[in-house]
Structure formats: structure tokens, C-alpha cells
Amino acid sequence: QVQLVESGGGLVQPGGSLRLSCAASGSIFSLYHMGWYRQAPGKQRELVARIIASGSTVYADSVKARFTISRDNAKNTVYLQMNSLEPEDTAVYYCNARRSLIQAGYWGQGTQVTVSS
């Protein structure tokens, strides 16, 4: 099993930046596909970005060119660098780890990101 703890959320003005971190423990981090998801009030949870074990990445169209997902296997940590933040980015951001993309995997507790002037 793997345990995930997100951090780095907070309140930021439109156009600002935040970097989210997800620290993993309890398993072999380098074998897991990692993803960032977000959920706004009253909305479904959606995939924001994914970085698979090989390092390849995918992004939701809404965040492409603004967000960057990366991983540091030596630190068992995945990051989400968020630039040019918009009010529509406001949500609870969750980290996910899974051995296969068809599995539900493991979830962190979430970290709140609020973009407001």
C-alpha cells in the first residue's frame, strides 16, 4: 500500500502561482503512476495531470500550458507547478497513485487551492 499527503495549497490572486507537493510512503514509488485531480464544490472530480512511471505526462485541456506535473523518485514526491492561475482553478486538489491506470489506486486527503482577488 501507499500513503499520500498533499501540501502547498492556499489562497492566491488570479495570475499567481502555487506549487503542490504529494509525498508518498509505504510502497515503491517509482513503480506507480501518479496523478493530480481536483474537485470543486458541486462538481465531479476531474483529472488535472498525470505522470506515469516512465515519466510521460498528460494534461487536461483546461490547464495545459499553465500547469506542469513532475516527479522526484528519489524523494518519493510528485509536484504540480501551477502558473497563471484562474478563479476556475479553485478546487480541492487530490493526489492519486496506482499501479495500473484501470485501478482506483490510493488517494491523499486533498489540499485546498483558492484563486480569488
Side-chain angles (χ1 to χ4, degrees), residues 37-111:
Y37 294 72
R38 67 186 182 187
Q39 187 167 24
K43 297 183 179 179
Q44 292 183 316
R45 188 172 298 186
E46 64 174 345
L47 175 68
V48 177
R50 176 186 293 127
I51 182 166
I52 63 174
S54 68
S56 297
T57 59
V58 295
Y59 297 90
D61 288 342
S62 60
V63 307
K64 200 166 187 176
R66 298 189 298 118
F67 292 9
T68 302
I69 189 170
S70 62
R71 65 192 297 161
D72 187 338
N73 289 340
K75 297 181 179 179
N76 286 6
T77 302
V78 63
Y79 304 95
L80 185 68
Q81 179 66 48
M82 304 185 294
N83 299 323
S84 301
L85 283 162
E86 305 168 351
E88 293 75 19
D89 297 316
T90 296
V92 177
Y93 284 70
Y94 297 92
C95 183
N96 174 264
R98 62 188 73 183
R99 289 292 306 277
S100 170
L101 297 183
I102 65 172
Q103 296 177 328
Y106 304 91
W107 294 92
Q109 83 288 350
T111 185

